[in-house]
Amino acid sequence: MHRVYQGVDRIAGNVITVRATGVGYRELAQVSSRHGSSLAQVIRLQGGSVDLQVFAGGRGIATDAEIRFLGRTMQVPFSRSLLGRVFNGSGQPRDNGPEINKNLIDIGGPSVNPARRIIPRRMVRTGIPMIDVFNTLVESQKLPIFSVAGEPYNQLLARIAMQAEVDVIILGGMGLKHDDYLFFRDLLEENGALSRAVLFIHTASDPVVECLLVPDIALAVAEHFALLNQRVLVLLTDMTNFADAMKEVAITMEQIPSNRGYPGDLYSQLAARYEKAVDFDAAGSITILAVTTMPGDDVTHPVPDNTGYITEGQFYLRNGRIEPFGSLSRLKQLVNDQTRADHRTIMNTMIQLYASYMETLEKQSMGFRMSAWDNKLLAYGQRFENELMDLKVNIPLEQALDLCWQILADTFEPAETGIASKLTDQFWPSR
Amino acid sequence: MSENSGTIIGINGNLLTVEFTRAVVQNEVAYAVMADRRLKAEVIRIRGSYADLQVFEDTTGLKEGDRVRFTGELLAVELGPGLLTQVFDGLQNPLPQLAEHCGFFLQRGVYLDALPRDRLWAFSPTAAPGDRVTAGEALGSVPEGIFQHRIMVPFGLRGAFTVERIAAPGDYTVSHPIATLRGADNEVVEVTLMQRWPVKMPIRAYRERLRPGEPLVTKVRIIDTFYPVARGGTYCIPGPFGAGKTVLQQITSRYADVDIVIIAACGERAGEVVETLREFPQLTDPRTGKSLMDRTLIICNTSSMPVAAREASVYTAVTIAEYYRQMGLNVLLLADSTSRWAQALREMSGRLEEIPGEEAFPAYLESVIAAFYERGGIVRLKDGSLGSVTIGGTVSPAGGNFEEPVTQSTLKVVGAFHGLSRERSDQRRFPAIDPLDSWSQYSGVVAAEQVSLARGILHSGNEVKQMMKVVGEEGTSIDDFVVFLKSEYIDAAYLQQDAYHEVDGASSAERQRYVFERIHRLLGSRMSFNDKDSARRFFQSLTQTTRDWNRVDQNDADFLQIERQLEQMIAEVSQDA
């Protein structure tokens, strides 16, 4: 039974208010007026008036618009025929392909029972030493790439997606530049990966409310693939746009802002999405890689800050390199004891020495005399940056570890590295 | 008696506005009735004939005009045998059983009994008919895993009662009446193995509260030696993300010298709970030789689970902790993270449109945090035995800035502060507890004067380090330089600990005393070096040898050998004849 109402009381931004009864919270409605028609979702009920968030935005809505409540919440179709297709933020095809209307699934569903999760055990190999050696990516991990605008974060995202061994790739684009959307699509196509990918794209010129739906749709679809025993990689870019869209709606709704205008539930909202990353007990998995651009390179900005507390680490992208400081994979301990006996030690030692190198650089910039130790550190740091940090480097983990030993042996005596004697005896390369 | 019900007139997120006609109670539990399920909610504000309710579930699909049924009961938990080893959500629903019911995903509106109703417990009475008892005194006990679980007079009873009847030894379910008590004005109370207690009220059925004194050994060197925690004390671990709060909590939950550990995973990642969940049953508790899970209980309301239940979860956890304390046990409650709990308060406060305080946190934040930590403590029970609840809470300050309201409110009420620093974690110096900023008001496992010498060196070493940034190494005297090297040595060889190494990961109190004694002597000795490079080389190899030493079991032959090696190294540079 569809209930139809005519007339809008209030229009503010993308939110309209109508008088209606018997409406369910989060129910969908179709809003039609002369300038077109759009879906809308109930976001507040108060004493007989209903606030709806209009997907296509408030522009062009007439006060005599017709509002038809659909009696259901937001759903998207799910089937294997989604693979290879491109949709917009409300689930409509944007690739001129046929519409899919079968087997509708709810979006933004409940969270996974922690008792049905398992401890992730599989490393995702990327061929990037800064990831494989120092911050190993693990299947079912949720990991953002923190970056300022202008860094090649989408390229990095795409490269990891191409090299990772997964069954399904789902791309959720939020506020994406049209060029970037085409970049992803073409790259997937060239590498023959489009046939195992689904794209949900909201570009910067699309209505802002659709941006809010992209992660939920992408993750709902991912969840269903994972339940079919598929290993799914979800790429979300850029989550800061998503948070800003949330801010916009919250302010329109006159909510009390908590920090720099963002709503008080920013943490919970982001967590509800990121926590969809999962390794199911007896089914597939979802790994989430997301981009979070940091306004003004400020990691204490509410979006990267809250994200950091939710995700299992982060990759910092700065000056085209993954920074060794601040970058972290919290799950690396789960896999890097099974790769090679020296992996953990190399990982810690190299970073500790690199930290000393940074201190020496500071000393050098202040014009102090360099001691013999300082000179060793300088030589070490240079090689570290050129041979390991450069994003062009593409070598498997084992080769990268060997390279680390070589750099150490070329610059230091074994005792200077602080590595336990047992390991230096085994791995220290002979000259 | 007809039921008390109201009508929904507004929905905003998980906040319902309900119109009611008969009396309602602040903080009582109510259920919003949908066609196929009921959603649990709590009354949090009353204005005229309207009540505001926070719903512990997702409110999608609720309609204006739907019924709400009030129960008249405050939000309470079930207390009785069978709690240990379980995994509950914030409202004490057992998660594994929920998984059997609902599969992979949590379904809203499904509420299960916290304690299994059909399980039999072997009860042996200790009280006899005619005994006079008061709230909290034992009537008997049942074995629960490795513990004798006391069955106590319900904590809510006021005044003295006479035991009229007590069940014979035998097997009973939790809801079977095992004793009948009669009060002064002839009221009769039936006691079962389980009782219910409202989570937001502290249990006070003890004789007196004592001052915490004895250290609680966590086997983390920097904590036990430098910034100790006391049994019955409180401490907090603030730190930016990635500084190792959760790893520190996990280590503590493994090695802490207490009877029972309650982990309240409050608004954090589900993955971390899963690690505990899957690993603990496999691990052996060195104190008992049994599985670590036997002494553990998990309250798990992770970040994507409903926000209002997150707020309830820390209370559920602390209530269960107090319950086991009443049995004369030492309980450690680890809450990760109290900031998420504070944020849950903030979210509700925002929906209620209350006037916001700093960073939009509600004005009552400070008193709520204080009241929570005050539920920790060591008490003398009515039978003379001691029981304690130690509370350790992590704080996740926005932007890693300790000036924010949650950190500041917490620091006012805790007895120890383990501040984690981004700088230390960037340098992979774990545990990343800042040795200069942290503090503790409790006494530790190592003699205080030894610690103060080391702390003095850490401070002066840091001063030299700062000075060297200005005047350079060549402008620093060799004596100052050695102080700096000594401070770096304490850091690298003692403060840093490899959490993932089986020996280095856990250092017993005895070993800490032994090792620190040696290190203290070394720090006190005067050393002479020809130049700074030779001093640096000496300390580099000293550090490496000590780190090797840390990785050797104390009973191993190598242990003494490395110790001798260290003494020899020091003798070579020492000026003390």
Side-chain angles (χ1 to χ4, degrees):
Chain A
M1 184 199 74
H2 292 177
R3 288 144 301 144
V4 184
Y5 293 85
Q6 193 123 36
V8 178
D9 273 4
R10 201 178 83 117
I11 304 172
N14 300 318
V15 178
I16 62 170
T17 309
V18 297
R19 311 261 339 150
T21 52
V23 177
Y25 189 62
R26 293 209 192 284
E27 187 174 334
L28 277 191
Q30 186 80 42
V31 179
S32 320
S33 56
R34 266 163 301 156
H35 294 284
S37 152
S38 163
L39 283 175
Q41 187 174 31
V42 176
I43 53 173
R44 182 155 71 189
L45 297 168
Q46 189 66 53
S49 59
V50 178
D51 290 333
L52 294 136
Q53 176 173 279
V54 185
F55 292 173
R59 193 168 298 132
I61 291 184
T63 49
D64 63 349
E66 181 190 277
I67 295 102
R68 175 189 295 265
F69 288 95
L70 304 180
R72 62 173 177 86
T73 52
M74 180 72 191
Q75 289 171 316
V76 285
F78 172 78
S79 73
R80 290 203 71 93
S81 56
L82 290 179
L83 293 172
R85 299 289 310 274
V86 186
F87 302 89
N88 70 7
S90 39
Q92 305 300 313
R94 71 183 304 153
D95 58 357
N96 305 322
E99 228 174 287
I100 304 175
N101 282 323
K102 272 185 283 189
N103 192 22
L104 293 172
I105 57 167
D106 288 331
I107 68 163
S111 70
V112 174
N113 189 327
R116 295 301 298 272
R117 289 171 179 261
I118 52 173
I119 303 180
R121 283 286 170 227
R122 269 188 293 207
M123 170 182 172
V124 178
R125 283 172 179 268
T126 64
I128 302 169
M130 291 312 290
I131 296 178
D132 288 359
V133 176
F134 297 102
N135 287 299
T136 319
L137 183 63
V138 179
E139 195 178 317
S140 88
Q141 190 161 19
K142 43 189 176 288
L143 208 75
I145 297 168
F146 286 173
S147 153
V148 280
E151 293 284 341
Y153 47 81
N154 281 333
Q155 282 74 0
L156 177 64
L157 209 58
R159 183 172 152 200
I160 296 172
M162 292 301 127
Q163 282 179 326
E165 297 155 350
V166 291
D167 302 319
V168 176
I169 299 168
I170 293 176
L171 173 71
M174 289 151 279
L176 212 55
K177 274 190 302 196
H178 203 267
D179 302 355
D180 286 338
Y181 150 53
L182 295 178
F183 160 76
F184 274 112
R185 195 197 59 190
D186 296 347
L187 191 77
L188 286 165
E189 198 149 29
E190 281 160 23
N191 287 275
L194 193 61
S195 58
R196 54 187 174 100
V198 192
L199 279 62
F200 295 96
I201 303 292
H202 165 265
T203 62
S205 57
D206 294 338
V208 69
V209 180
E210 287 188 359
C211 177
L212 286 174
L213 297 169
V214 167
D216 284 336
I217 295 179
L219 290 162
V221 170
E223 218 160 45
H224 279 76
F225 274 116
L227 288 173
L228 294 176
N229 225 349
Q230 303 284 297
R231 297 160 72 188
V232 188
L233 175 66
V234 179
L235 309 174
L236 299 172
T237 173
D238 158 0
M239 287 300 274
T240 305
N241 290 337
F242 169 71
D244 286 341
M246 249 178 350
K247 174 166 81 174
E248 200 177 314
V249 172
I251 301 251
T252 313
M253 296 290 293
E254 294 169 3
Q255 281 182 24
I256 295 169
S258 68
N259 208 341
R260 297 210 212 174
Y262 289 95
D265 61 355
L266 179 65
Y267 175 85
S268 301
Q269 293 288 355
L270 289 173
R273 275 79 193 184
Y274 281 114
E275 281 283 321
K276 295 277 180 196
V278 60
D279 206 344
F280 281 115
D281 176 5
S285 69
I286 301 176
T287 311
I288 301 180
L289 272 180
V291 167
T292 299
T293 48
M294 298 184 289
D297 199 12
D298 175 12
V299 74
T300 66
H301 181 278
V303 180
D305 187 51
N306 278 291
T307 305
Y309 280 117
I310 294 163
T311 51
E312 288 150 339
Q314 64 280 330
F315 294 146
Y316 268 91
L317 193 63
R318 190 168 290 147
N319 302 328
R321 297 194 294 226
I322 297 178
E323 279 276 311
F325 304 127
S327 292
L328 168 73
S329 159
R330 288 167 189 273
L331 301 189
K332 64 188 173 193
Q333 307 288 355
L334 298 175
V335 294
N336 64 10
D337 56 341
Q338 296 145 29
T339 46
R340 225 170 75 172
D342 56 333
H343 187 162
R344 282 185 180 175
T345 310
I346 280 290
M347 165 182 96
N348 287 324
T349 310
M350 296 289 286
I351 298 293
Q352 277 172 352
L353 288 168
Y354 188 74
S356 308
Y357 157 72
M358 297 299 282
E359 279 175 19
T360 299
L361 267 192
E362 210 176 296
K363 275 191 339 195
Q364 192 187 33
S365 69
M366 294 180 71
F368 292 128
R369 196 173 61 214
M370 296 284 98
S371 65
W373 172 245
D374 288 327
N375 285 326
K376 284 186 176 189
L377 285 172
L378 287 176
Y380 165 79
Q382 285 299 326
R383 289 196 59 187
F384 189 101
E385 287 181 353
N386 295 337
E387 293 172 41
L388 290 165
M389 278 171 73
D390 198 313
L391 270 188
K392 288 199 272 300
V393 180
N394 188 357
I395 48 176
L397 169 74
E398 289 71 17
Q399 211 177 317
L401 288 174
D402 291 340
L403 179 61
C404 290
W405 281 109
Q406 197 55 53
I407 295 176
L408 287 175
D410 290 348
T411 23
F412 301 111
E413 295 302 320
E416 289 171 333
T417 60
I419 299 177
S421 327
K422 228 160 126 194
L423 277 175
T424 47
D425 290 348
Q426 189 186 345
F427 286 101
W428 199 262
S430 47
R431 299 235 176 138
Chain B
M1 191 186 94
S2 70
E3 56 162 39
N4 187 7
S5 67
T7 314
I8 296 177
I9 60 155
I11 306 172
N12 178 15
N14 68 337
L15 180 75
L16 302 184
T17 307
V18 176
E19 189 170 16
F20 61 90
T21 48
R22 288 169 34 191
V24 299
V25 184
Q26 170 76 330
N27 294 112
E28 78 170 288
V29 171
Y31 290 94
V33 184
M34 300 182 76
D36 54 346
R37 64 191 80 206
R38 309 175 308 152
L39 306 180
K40 201 170 187 172
E42 183 186 14
V43 177
I44 51 171
R45 184 170 70 185
I46 297 165
R47 284 181 172 181
S49 58
Y50 302 108
D52 289 322
L53 277 69
Q54 61 171 349
V55 186
F56 295 115
E57 309 273 3
D58 177 22
T59 50
T60 300
L62 271 180
K63 292 188 173 74
E64 232 176 300
D66 280 352
R67 307 297 292 166
V68 168
R69 290 207 179 102
F70 296 98
T71 64
E73 305 278 328
L74 300 186
L75 186 66
V77 288
E78 295 183 351
L79 301 171
L83 289 172
L84 288 180
T85 75
Q86 292 238 51
V87 184
F88 296 116
D89 73 3
L91 301 175
Q92 219 195 3
N93 286 302
L95 288 173
Q97 282 84 321
L98 271 183
E100 278 169 32
H101 264 257
C102 315
F104 282 121
F105 297 95
L106 294 167
Q107 267 176 32
R108 57 185 178 149
V110 181
Y111 308 108
L112 302 176
D113 291 328
L115 296 170
R117 291 295 191 268
D118 49 356
R119 185 159 166 197
L120 291 170
W121 298 91
F123 175 70
S124 17
T126 51
D131 283 0
R132 303 271 290 164
V133 291
T134 57
E137 285 186 87
L139 296 169
S141 67
V142 301
E144 181 189 13
I146 47 181
F147 300 102
Q148 278 300 318
H149 185 114
R150 282 189 205 170
I151 305 304
M152 292 167 279
V153 176
F155 304 130
L157 295 188
R158 283 182 213 158
F161 286 74
T162 311
V163 180
E164 276 214 336
R165 177 194 73 87
I166 187 142
D171 293 345
Y172 303 99
T173 60
V174 284
S175 47
H176 186 92
I178 50 102
T180 312
L181 308 178
R182 185 179 291 275
D185 41 9
N186 268 342
E187 51 166 326
V188 173
V189 180
E190 292 285 344
V191 180
T192 55
L193 293 186
M194 76 169 221
Q195 54 174 305
R196 293 174 64 79
W197 185 260
V199 291
K200 289 186 182 165
M201 301 201 183
I203 298 174
R204 291 218 169 89
Y206 49 79
R207 199 186 290 160
E208 56 174 339
R209 226 180 119 170
L210 307 170
R211 195 161 159 247
E214 199 191 336
L216 187 156
V217 178
T218 62
K219 299 199 177 176
V220 178
R221 288 189 291 256
I222 184 167
I223 295 180
D224 295 345
T225 305
F226 283 81
Y227 304 106
V229 179
R231 283 222 169 121
T234 50
Y235 68 102
C236 69
I237 313 176
F241 60 81
K245 286 184 298 295
T246 304
V247 176
L248 203 55
Q249 290 269 43
Q250 280 177 345
I251 297 166
T252 316
S253 67
R254 261 178 216 197
Y255 300 120
D257 182 22
V258 288
D259 299 307
I260 288 173
V261 176
I262 297 179
I263 300 171
C266 169
E268 289 285 308
R269 308 172 185 88
E272 288 161 0
V273 185
V274 178
E275 276 179 45
T276 311
L277 220 67
R278 301 266 168 176
E279 277 174 2
F280 271 30
Q282 262 60 269
L283 298 172
T284 318
D285 180 3
R287 297 170 71 242
T288 59
K290 298 276 177 50
S291 154
L292 208 47
M293 203 62 199
D294 283 0
R295 69 160 198 177
T296 311
L297 192 155
I298 302 172
I299 308 288
C300 157
N301 216 94
T302 56
S303 56
S304 60
M305 288 160 78
V307 157
R310 187 197 301 168
E311 195 248 340
S313 68
V314 297
Y315 293 108
T316 301
V318 76
T319 306
I320 296 173
E322 287 177 332
Y323 177 64
Y324 279 98
R325 176 199 68 195
Q326 291 298 116
M327 297 174 204
L329 297 172
N330 293 308
V331 186
L332 173 63
L333 168 64
L334 297 171
D336 186 15
S337 144
T338 57
S339 291
R340 304 302 158 223
W341 164 57
Q343 284 182 339
L345 292 174
R346 174 167 77 182
E347 279 183 37
M348 279 328 293
S349 169
R351 292 214 176 92
L352 290 169
E353 294 174 355
E354 293 173 340
I355 293 171
E358 208 181 332
E359 289 189 22
F361 281 107
Y364 45 79
L365 175 76
E366 209 172 294
S367 57
V368 170
I369 289 179
F372 168 69
Y373 279 100
E374 273 300 303
R375 289 179 76 168
I378 180 161
V379 298
R380 190 182 311 280
L381 300 169
K382 288 179 175 167
D383 69 349
S385 59
L386 298 179
S388 70
V389 173
T390 311
I391 301 181
T394 63
V395 185
S396 320
N401 172 13
F402 292 173
E403 302 301 310
E404 58 90 47
V406 183
T407 317
Q408 288 305 317
S409 311
T410 309
L411 282 179
K412 280 187 191 166
V413 292
V414 294
F417 160 62
H418 300 156
L420 302 186
S421 99
R422 156 81 67 223
E423 197 190 345
R424 282 181 71 82
S425 72
D426 275 353
Q427 296 171 348
R428 302 295 189 267
R429 298 182 175 203
F430 290 117
I433 298 175
D434 192 314
L436 300 173
D437 286 351
S438 302
W439 49 260
S440 166
Q441 295 164 348
Y442 306 118
S443 53
V445 302
V446 171
E449 61 275 11
Q450 291 185 6
V451 177
S452 74
L453 174 85
R455 208 176 287 157
I457 292 178
L458 284 170
H459 274 278
S460 17
N462 183 54
E463 277 165 26
V464 176
K465 187 177 177 180
Q466 299 308 325
M467 207 161 61
M468 273 200 298
K469 281 188 185 155
V470 184
V471 299
E473 218 174 282
E474 63 265 37
T476 309
S477 74
I478 184 127
D479 288 344
D480 278 353
F481 192 66
V482 169
V483 170
F484 163 71
L485 289 175
K486 278 182 178 173
S487 75
E488 289 287 294
Y489 169 73
I490 303 175
D491 192 342
Y494 196 80
L495 301 185
Q496 292 175 40
Q497 210 171 339
D498 182 355
Y500 298 94
H501 191 273
E502 56 181 312
V503 178
D504 195 28
S507 186
S508 69
E510 182 212 349
R511 181 172 177 146
Q512 290 185 41
R513 272 192 286 270
Y514 187 88
V515 170
F516 200 73
E517 164 75 38
R518 305 297 177 282
I519 291 187
H520 166 251
R521 230 186 305 148
L522 179 160
L523 293 174
S525 73
R526 292 192 300 142
M527 306 171 179
S528 76
F529 299 101
N530 293 334
D531 52 30
K532 286 173 190 152
D533 273 336
S534 65
R536 187 193 330 264
R537 267 199 305 280
F538 169 76
F539 274 99
Q540 272 169 348
S541 62
L542 192 69
T543 304
Q544 196 189 23
T545 316
T546 316
R547 291 181 114 171
D548 283 347
W549 197 35
N550 285 337
R551 285 161 185 271
V552 175
D553 193 285
Q554 215 175 342
N555 299 317
D556 214 290
D558 283 353
F559 187 81
L560 281 177
Q561 201 198 319
I562 299 181
E563 190 184 336
R564 271 198 296 275
Q565 197 182 330
L566 281 169
E567 278 167 6
Q568 218 163 19
M569 288 169 80
I570 293 157
E572 278 167 22
V573 296
S574 178
Q575 285 185 321
D576 309 323

